[in-house]
Amino acid sequence: MRTILVLAVASLLLASCGSPQPDMAALKKTVEEYNAASIEAMKSGNSDKVLAYYTEDAMEMAPNMAMFKGKAAIKDFQGQMSKMMKINDAKFTSVDIDAGGKVAYEVGTYEMTMTMGSGPSINDKGKYIAIWKLQEDGSWKVSAETWNSDMPVPSMEKPKETKKSAAKKPATKSTTKKAPAKKATTKKK
């Protein structure tokens, strides 16, 4: 009986030593640095510094687009985006960061203000998730990320009717069916 107890305790001790717990303080510091570098890259249009935080085979999954795979594709995408719009201000807020073994995730929210061409400023807010992988050198790098806006798609909003637009509305035909008119009958005498 004593041998079984010793073996059970030894097994539990060995199982708990399997993989060391990630250094959460170092991970959180890296996430903060990455978020700051991302904001700098978006505002400046230069993504070179932020690309150092990605794995070579990283995946970026922007809304309504095909996936971009690899640093070169991500750099190209980020360059295209900076040509289309100017990010005036941005803020990332980590909501949850956790890790187990060699994989971690960050879930967060964002707020940003941007302009497209000479148009007015556009405010956006949304959420994101980033998957991180622990590298052989002990650093954490983004392996995959995606995000989407909390704002409604402009073309999907139903325009609000005003008194003026209601007055201009043409009359519509009723779609209810009327009973067929009865034919007049005459009685023969």
Side-chain angles (χ1 to χ4, degrees):
M1 183 69 158
R2 186 178 251 190
T3 306
I4 293 173
L5 183 60
V6 170
L7 287 173
V9 170
S11 294
L12 286 173
L13 288 172
L14 287 173
S16 67
C17 296
S19 61
Q21 289 300 314
D23 181 350
M24 292 302 292
L27 173 61
K28 288 178 180 180
K29 182 176 186 260
T30 301
V31 168
E32 288 172 9
E33 290 170 354
Y34 167 71
N35 288 340
S38 293
I39 291 169
E40 182 183 318
M42 289 189 294
K43 290 169 96 174
S44 71
N46 183 350
S47 63
D48 289 339
K49 183 177 177 183
V50 77
L51 285 171
Y53 289 91
Y54 288 93
T55 61
E56 289 300 321
D57 61 347
M59 296 171 279
E60 188 154 292
M61 296 166 277
N64 307 310
M65 296 181 172
M67 178 174 26
F68 299 94
K69 187 166 176 140
K71 277 187 179 183
I74 292 170
K75 180 178 181 166
D76 196 41
F77 164 70
Q78 291 175 350
Q80 299 277 337
M81 293 304 290
S82 65
K83 288 177 185 173
M84 287 179 22
M85 67 180 74
K86 166 107 174 86
I87 303 297
N88 303 317
D89 196 23
K91 176 184 175 187
F92 294 108
T93 304
S94 297
V95 174
D96 189 22
I97 300 174
D98 204 356
K102 295 183 177 186
V103 178
Y105 68 85
E106 175 204 12
V107 175
T109 60
Y110 71 84
E111 295 178 29
M112 63 180 63
T113 304
M114 65 194 96
T115 51
M116 298 179 90
S118 60
S121 289
I122 301 168
N123 294 319
D124 187 21
K125 63 181 179 175
K127 63 267 182 206
Y128 63 90
I129 185 167
I131 307 299
W132 294 76
K133 286 189 178 174
L134 185 61
Q135 305 301 295
E136 292 296 322
D137 66 359
S139 66
W140 287 95
K141 294 199 176 191
V142 175
S143 173
E145 66 182 350
T146 189
W147 67 93
N148 58 45
S149 177
D150 291 342
M151 308 303 284
V153 177
S155 62
M156 298 300 285
E157 289 181 12
K158 187 175 181 180
K160 293 180 181 174
E161 191 172 287
T162 63
K163 289 181 183 181
K164 200 174 195 180
S165 65
K168 290 183 179 181
K169 225 182 221 184
T172 57
K173 292 183 180 180
S174 173
T175 57
T176 58
K177 291 185 177 182
K178 294 181 182 177
K182 291 185 180 179
K183 291 184 180 179
T185 56
T186 56
K187 289 185 180 180
K188 291 188 179 179
K189 289 186 190 180

